[in-house]
Amino acid sequence: MKFEDLLHRCFRCGYCKLTDDYDDFNCPPHMKYRFESFSPGGRLWLTRAWLGGDVGTSERFEQILYSCTLCANCVKHCIFPFNEDLVNMFIAAREAVVEAGTLPPAVRDYFKALRVHGNPYKEPAEMRGDWARGLSVPTYDRHEYLLYIGCVGSYDERGRKIARAVARVLNQAGVSFGILGPAELCDGNEARAMGETWLFEELAKKNMALFQARGVKKIVALDPHAYNAFTKEYRKLGADWEVYHYTQILAEKIDVLRPLLKVYPTAVAYHDPCYLGRHNGIYEAPRQILAALPGITLAEMDANRGNALCCGGGGGNFFTDILGGGKDSSARIRIAQAREAGADVLAVCCPQCAKMLDDAGKAENPEKRLEIVDIAELIVRCLRKEETP
Amino acid sequence: MDIYESLCDITGSDYVSRQQEEQYIYSRDSGAQPPRRVDFVVMPGSVEEVQRILILANREGISVTPLGGGFTLSALVVPQKGGIVMDMKRMDRILEVNEISRYALIEAGVSQAALRSYLKKHHPRLQHSTPEAPPTVTVTGNALIQGHGHLTPRYGLNSDMVNGMEVVLATGEICKLGSAAVTGSWYTRGPIPDLPGLFIGWFGTTGVVTKLSLKLYPRPQYRNVVVFSSDDVDAIPEVIFELTQLDLLEDFFLITQEKPDWMNHIFYVVILSAHFKEELAMKKRIYREVAGKIGGGKTVKPVDDLHPALRTRFLDVPPKAAVAADFRKGGGFQYSAAILPFNKVPAAWRKGIEIAHAHGMIASYVHQVLTCHSIMFGFNYSFNRADEADIQAARQAVDESNRFTLDIGGMIWKGEAEAQRLVMKKMDPNTARLIEKIKRAMDPKGVMNPGNWELPQ
């Protein structure tokens, strides 16, 4: 197994489970299950035991491996010099499980759907661009940017709404962009996160060939998960495009948008998506947008930026739900944190976070005092009127 | 119902495990002790659940080992005779902070981090004595093993800071100890018979502590560190005596490390705190003056160019002391903790270096002065968890250190099973029998963390 030589160096001291100032536990599976086996250290020790034959393959072991959301809270807070590789170790352990051929059914089904249908929703490729129906969104043809939507934005109902909002706002900001529509492929970030590195590489190579054939130089990603794959993993395979998350582009274009905006008085808490924040260090662009929206006051949660609590959807859990819900799920705790901060709106900029928090809100926030709204959707609400591009 | 089903009935099946993964993790801690069998792990969420588990254990004759943070490094909460590990971390509520009487009432699973953070947010003028351990360890566990914290030199051991507790006896009765037994308020431990003493230092052999009332202390606004260095091992008792004679310090420890060379000296680290800047400056000046006079001015010298990383290391509460586990890129660390009178420190200092070298390690020390009466002398050994021979060497080094400690008249703090056997063997026989009688009275079926504090065979 890759990184096997690091496993024994974990002392299980537990800093990895906390925030910077030790305000609270911040590791989703540990918060949910509470057993030490579900902490980052427990997972590393069990992986070592599994490789050494002291622990056999079991449903529980796989649950412990796959309930991790790869949120990188441990990377940020572990005090040892190997902290940068913690998520890599967890992915390597999953690779080893994939190689051993014993997978949790939900993970197996995800891989199968991706292989057979090209997306985890088992929907036809022709439907990938359906989210854009009725909008003025051209097929990519040497535009400045390729707007890459990804599987969630293409097929999930909530994700599609966000994709539409992003496209509308990019249009208002005068950004030159096009989409691939039915030709778009899965970015593979979640396949890699779940240990199917080979499938990921296959998808990455196909995407790289496609982008090259279309002459893509700059990509705007809707989904931070895709942003992560393109900026980090594709680069290792030779990709050299400029990659942006849509909030980075909109933060740059905020002065173009400003005259179009009306006052929308509301208190907004911002949820940092793990793949944008901890994984890629983008904390300010979304906040710059929110700060520029007239009438909006930022109600920052205590757990923000590098201390943000994951929505629970990372590491493939958005699709597999191995972490699971319930009152101790991180998504529900996150809703409670936003309410405690005095927010009316919990702003997100990741379709996976949006869906996870929406679902959690139904249980944690039944009276709907807190709305989950993507930043692009919030901008749309602030538009005086939409200009036709 | 079998034991597993009964436990599920008590806490819900989400909080019970008899699976290999939990059995593996709870069968060992981060120190060098060999793993031991665990049959079940259970996480109660209330005192009533604890009570039901103990009644069940008594009925079935199965052992129960209560666990807080599980970070003693000497496997004190790894069962010696199998059975149930009762992980208390779900009981994590801070129930009351009485600001005017300066105490906090907490459940047994509250971590050092949680209490510290809560006080910082809601009662910023108060603090509790925080140990050098990682912030995930529990406040209650630390107090029950007679731990010490950053306020210990000023106010005493953390176990001395216990105002009272709620306990579940092995036989299932729930008792309040301290003033709450009489008044319903948790502000003082006496003046009634000192029953918390029946649970402090007993390693869970007499019952399960479910709530703790802990003394809080003023939190001064300003802190600083003054450091002195010396190479005179024989002068250590005198230096400690003189620096503690002033009675103005918050924390005081001795530190050294053979590598790098600039660390290979005796460093006296004095943490000062004050409510006013002038007060802090005055304390700093006084300590420098007093230290400068020890041994005619030749024994210690002030360290004026303290590295910023060391300043952080010294002033952080808690410090990130756990990094020592990776000194050898091995992830393992254990220490033999000797509670010594000051005059025994020079001999221990030399012996610790000798033991470390004999086992192919470099010596590295952090010793905390406990009050102005004794010191926790740590014989520290980091090891490579991937190397069985190295683990054995660490165990051997710890054992040699323990034996040496007892030989020179020291006490072993939170010793592993073998260390306890050494202590019990050396103990006055009537005292050892008294311990046995108390245990039998408190736990007639012998189900509470058996194997600890047992009479030598």
Side-chain angles (χ1 to χ4, degrees):
Chain A
M1 187 192 116
K2 281 184 264 178
F3 303 103
E4 190 176 344
D5 59 329
L6 293 180
L7 293 175
H8 70 278
R9 287 173 64 184
C10 169
F11 189 42
R12 283 215 294 124
C13 55
Y15 283 91
C16 53
K17 295 185 278 196
L18 295 162
T19 52
D20 271 345
D21 48 9
Y22 319 140
D23 245 6
D24 214 339
F25 287 116
N26 214 37
C27 167
H30 183 257
M31 291 163 86
K32 167 91 193 290
Y33 293 98
R34 305 302 297 267
F35 289 110
E36 287 303 307
S37 37
F38 282 83
S39 68
R43 202 173 306 116
L44 293 175
W45 279 39
L46 283 169
T47 301
R48 185 162 174 260
W50 179 69
L51 290 170
D54 293 330
V55 164
T57 303
S58 70
E59 273 182 40
R60 182 72 157 187
F61 176 62
E62 288 168 356
Q63 183 191 25
I64 288 167
L65 272 192
Y66 280 96
S67 58
C68 167
T69 61
L70 307 184
C71 71
N73 181 70
C74 52
V75 172
K76 177 98 174 117
H77 298 112
C78 167
I79 61 171
F80 291 106
F82 52 83
N83 54 11
E84 280 297 322
D85 280 320
L86 284 169
V87 163
N88 294 332
M89 287 187 239
F90 300 141
I91 293 176
R94 292 174 177 191
E95 283 175 6
V97 168
V98 170
E99 266 193 275
T102 51
L103 286 172
V107 175
R108 183 197 59 214
D109 293 348
Y110 176 89
F111 292 151
K112 190 177 170 190
L114 200 52
R115 274 200 205 92
V116 174
H117 302 278
N119 65 76
Y121 295 90
K122 302 179 188 173
E123 296 286 0
E126 299 77 55
M127 284 175 62
R128 262 200 184 263
D130 286 2
W131 64 270
R133 269 196 196 148
L135 291 180
S136 177
V137 178
T139 299
Y140 180 81
D141 183 16
R142 307 277 167 179
H143 294 84
E144 185 179 2
Y145 296 99
L146 164 68
L147 174 61
Y148 179 86
I149 299 298
C151 296
V152 182
S154 298
Y155 295 110
D156 180 86
E157 193 187 331
R158 184 75 183 89
R160 284 177 170 196
K161 286 181 184 164
I162 294 170
R164 289 174 69 83
V166 169
R168 285 168 67 185
V169 178
L170 286 174
N171 271 331
Q172 295 306 300
V175 177
S176 159
F177 72 96
I179 61 169
L180 292 171
E184 190 184 273
L185 300 170
C186 175
D187 55 78
N189 189 69
E190 307 317 287
R192 180 181 172 275
M194 284 190 261
E196 241 294 17
T197 311
W198 306 272
L199 180 56
F200 163 73
E201 287 183 0
E202 193 183 313
L203 288 165
K205 282 172 190 164
K206 283 182 184 169
N207 269 315
M208 287 165 68
L210 176 64
F211 295 171
Q212 193 172 16
R214 300 287 182 107
V216 173
K217 298 276 189 285
K218 296 180 182 177
I219 300 172
V220 185
L222 170 80
D223 192 327
H225 296 236
Y227 174 86
N228 181 68
F230 293 152
T231 49
K232 285 188 164 166
E233 304 309 323
Y234 280 49
R235 289 232 165 103
K236 289 179 195 162
L237 300 170
D240 62 351
W241 326 292
E242 289 177 34
V243 184
Y244 302 91
H245 183 253
Y246 83 83
T247 53
Q248 292 177 292
I249 301 297
L250 293 181
E252 264 182 31
K253 298 281 184 184
I254 201 67
D255 286 339
V256 179
L257 289 168
R258 212 183 298 268
L260 309 176
L261 303 174
K262 64 184 179 207
V263 175
Y264 183 74
T266 190
V268 176
Y270 170 64
H271 167 74
D272 293 271
C274 303
Y275 275 115
L276 205 58
R278 273 190 293 265
H279 280 277
N280 288 291
I282 300 171
Y283 296 114
E284 299 312 320
R287 287 180 171 82
Q288 284 164 12
I289 298 170
L290 292 172
L293 298 182
I296 282 181
T297 50
L298 195 57
E300 196 76 86
M301 291 179 278
D302 284 347
N304 65 67
R305 297 179 171 80
N307 290 322
L309 176 63
C310 173
C311 71
N317 276 283
F318 178 82
F319 297 103
T320 62
D321 199 28
I322 292 173
L323 175 63
K327 65 181 173 52
D328 293 325
S329 69
S330 52
R332 281 183 64 175
I333 295 168
R334 195 63 171 152
I335 297 284
Q337 288 177 351
R339 288 180 59 167
E340 196 185 321
D344 306 311
V345 165
L346 178 54
V348 294
C349 58
C350 167
Q352 303 194 34
C353 295
K355 175 96 170 171
M356 293 295 296
L357 295 168
D358 259 350
D359 290 349
K362 285 169 195 156
E364 190 66 32
N365 177 41
E367 68 279 25
K368 296 201 170 158
R369 272 173 37 210
L370 182 78
E371 251 191 303
I372 315 300
V373 185
D374 189 89
I375 285 180
E377 293 173 322
L378 210 48
I379 298 173
V380 168
R381 287 185 189 185
C382 293
L383 287 174
R384 285 176 206 279
K385 65 169 185 153
E386 235 166 307
E387 315 253 336
T388 310
Chain B
M1 277 197 286
D2 65 14
I3 292 172
Y4 175 74
E5 287 166 349
S6 301
L7 289 171
C8 291
D9 185 55
I10 293 168
T11 63
S13 59
D14 284 351
Y15 302 112
V16 185
S17 176
R18 57 177 172 187
Q19 307 205 55
Q20 58 169 356
E21 289 75 15
E22 281 70 41
Q23 288 174 342
Y24 180 89
I25 290 294
Y26 287 85
S27 69
R28 62 204 72 213
D29 72 6
S30 298
Q33 294 307 301
R36 297 192 287 256
R37 195 187 89 237
V38 168
D39 297 305
F40 306 95
V41 183
V42 63
M43 302 188 84
S46 66
V47 63
E48 290 76 20
E49 289 180 9
V50 172
Q51 181 184 41
R52 288 179 64 195
I53 293 166
L54 292 187
I55 290 169
L56 169 75
N58 259 278
R59 191 177 69 224
E60 301 292 336
I62 186 169
S63 306
V64 177
T65 301
L67 174 143
F71 215 78
T72 62
L73 302 181
S74 47
L76 287 181
V77 286
V78 175
Q80 294 193 45
K81 299 185 179 175
I84 301 167
V85 172
M86 186 190 286
D87 185 338
M88 302 299 289
K89 283 194 276 297
R90 275 183 70 219
M91 294 181 65
D92 59 359
R93 291 178 303 161
I94 295 167
L95 300 165
E96 180 195 357
V97 172
N98 189 316
E99 183 144 341
I100 201 81
S101 295
R102 296 195 184 92
Y103 71 82
L105 179 66
I106 59 172
E107 287 188 320
V110 169
S111 68
Q112 299 288 348
L115 182 57
R116 193 156 182 83
S117 169
Y118 185 88
L119 292 175
K120 197 173 156 190
K121 263 189 207 165
H122 303 289
H123 304 277
R125 298 179 68 197
L126 298 178
Q127 61 176 336
H128 79 288
S129 182
T130 308
E132 278 223 338
T136 47
V137 305
T138 60
V139 176
T140 301
N142 178 264
L144 296 185
I145 60 167
Q146 292 156 311
H148 42 86
H150 78 295
L151 301 180
T152 285
R154 179 174 286 171
Y155 297 116
L157 292 178
N158 291 358
S159 48
D160 301 334
M161 299 171 184
V162 171
N163 267 343
M165 46 178 80
E166 176 191 79
V167 296
V168 184
L169 302 185
T171 42
E173 298 93 328
I174 301 172
C175 301
K176 289 187 176 75
L177 314 180
S179 56
V182 180
T183 68
S185 171
W186 295 86
Y187 70 100
T188 181
R189 184 156 160 173
I192 54 174
D194 190 44
L195 296 172
L198 285 172
F199 299 88
I200 292 172
W202 290 81
F203 303 155
T205 56
T206 50
V208 177
V209 176
T210 45
K211 291 188 184 80
L212 193 82
S213 169
L214 189 76
K215 290 176 185 169
L216 305 175
Y217 297 92
R219 181 179 187 162
Q221 199 178 343
Y222 302 99
R223 292 177 85 235
N224 208 335
V225 55
V226 285
V227 180
F228 306 101
S229 74
S230 169
D231 291 317
D232 188 346
V233 173
D234 291 315
I236 291 174
E238 184 194 356
V239 176
I240 296 175
F241 178 81
E242 293 300 340
L243 294 181
T244 51
Q245 188 70 1
L246 277 175
D247 205 19
L248 290 173
L249 48 78
E250 176 182 282
D251 199 358
F252 181 14
F253 46 97
L254 278 62
I255 188 166
T256 193
Q257 202 170 285
E258 285 184 295
K259 297 285 179 188
D261 289 343
W262 63 267
M263 275 292 290
N264 195 11
H265 304 283
I266 305 161
F267 291 98
Y268 296 90
V269 181
V270 175
I271 308 294
L272 302 172
S273 59
H275 296 277
F276 303 98
K277 276 185 185 170
E278 299 85 346
E279 181 192 355
L280 191 67
M282 178 200 73
K283 285 182 177 178
K284 195 171 172 184
R285 180 175 52 76
I286 290 174
Y287 270 95
R288 287 176 68 104
E289 276 178 24
V290 168
K293 288 177 187 164
I294 299 170
K298 291 178 182 166
T299 305
V300 301
K301 54 184 180 189
V303 178
D304 292 323
D305 54 348
L306 189 63
H307 191 284
L310 276 182
R311 179 175 294 276
T312 305
R313 158 71 178 84
F314 296 150
L315 287 172
D316 263 0
V317 181
K320 289 174 178 160
V323 290
D326 202 49
F327 281 170
R328 299 173 62 204
K329 297 192 170 151
F333 180 80
Q334 178 153 10
Y335 63 113
S336 164
I339 308 299
L340 298 177
F342 300 142
N343 64 338
K344 301 291 183 185
V345 172
W349 193 280
R350 294 189 173 98
K351 186 68 177 179
I353 294 171
E354 185 188 314
I355 294 172
H357 290 178
H359 292 283
M361 306 174 197
I362 63 160
S364 157
Y365 286 147
V366 180
H367 313 306
Q368 189 180 24
V369 177
L370 297 181
T371 55
C372 54
H373 306 96
S374 62
I375 187 169
M376 191 291 293
F377 188 101
F379 295 91
N380 299 343
Y381 305 109
S382 58
F383 59 89
N384 183 349
R385 199 177 298 283
D387 180 346
E388 192 51 42
D390 212 34
I391 298 173
Q392 287 287 359
R395 276 181 210 146
Q396 183 64 31
V398 164
D399 187 59
E400 288 168 24
S401 306
N402 287 337
R403 289 170 192 273
F404 176 78
T405 295
L406 290 177
D407 284 349
I408 62 168
M411 298 286 280
I412 300 169
W413 174 47
K414 66 180 172 79
E416 71 285 358
E418 180 55 28
Q420 284 181 52
R421 278 190 276 277
L422 293 174
V423 172
M424 291 300 281
K425 207 170 156 188
K426 197 177 177 194
M427 192 178 282
D428 170 74
N430 283 341
T431 309
R433 277 196 288 274
L434 174 61
I435 288 175
E436 181 61 20
K437 278 183 193 169
I438 291 170
K439 276 173 55 185
R440 204 174 301 156
M442 302 283 291
D443 175 25
K445 291 224 173 154
V447 296
M448 296 306 306
N449 203 6
N452 288 282
W453 296 133
E454 293 203 335
L455 279 177
Q457 298 299 310

